[in-house]
Amino acid sequence: MTIQREYQYFGGQPWNRYTTGRQYPEVDTTMFTESADAFKQLLRDASTVLDKLADDKNFAYKVMNAAQHSETEKVVNLIESTGIKSDVTTKFNPDELIMKFNNQSHGTDCCILTMALKW
């Protein structure tokens, strides 16, 4: 006996119209909603840093100058001096500054925002 399945294509990928009968755990949105809420803080902190870089040319100069001299700790201290609450990791190269904002919920990394700015 041969069973033929009917497939429909959505976005270039086949989609099986028939269910597979798998059992999934009950949906619990607690961590998901807490992650979304914690991510809002990352956005506020990223906005704070962007405002400072865009509006204060002296600050932008200090960050870029420290990066060009490979003064990683100074770059981090300057970014943190903006008053952000999230943990931030910075990397830089001759083309850009990369900032990775990290927040935790219940002791686990729940959300990360990575920003890259060209110079």
Side-chain angles (χ1 to χ4, degrees), residues 9-112:
Y9 286 86
F10 178 76
Q13 298 296 320
W15 174 71
N16 186 351
R17 283 186 24 181
Y18 302 103
T19 61
T20 59
R22 284 195 235 176
Q23 295 295 318
Y24 294 101
E26 189 68 28
V27 173
D28 180 5
T29 62
T30 304
M31 183 64 164
F32 191 39
T33 56
E34 288 175 1
S35 293
D37 192 48
F39 199 83
K40 290 192 275 185
Q41 181 62 50
L42 299 181
L43 291 173
R44 284 191 292 272
D45 287 344
S47 182
T48 298
V49 173
L50 289 173
D51 287 344
K52 185 73 171 173
L53 288 168
D55 299 339
D56 186 342
K57 294 203 182 291
N58 186 44
F59 179 77
Y61 175 85
K62 287 179 184 178
V63 170
M64 194 170 179
N65 188 54
Q68 286 181 341
H69 288 91
S70 298
E71 297 172 337
T72 305
E73 191 172 324
K74 187 171 183 179
V75 172
V76 171
N77 289 338
L78 286 164
I79 299 300
E80 290 177 345
S81 75
T82 62
I84 61 173
K85 297 176 182 159
S86 306
D87 293 331
V88 65
T89 304
T90 60
K91 293 181 184 178
F92 44 83
N93 59 47
D95 297 324
E96 64 190 351
L97 169 67
I98 301 167
M99 293 173 281
K100 184 175 173 181
F101 296 85
N102 184 20
N103 208 341
Q104 294 190 344
S105 178
H106 298 290
T108 183
D109 292 343
C110 67
C111 41
I112 297 169

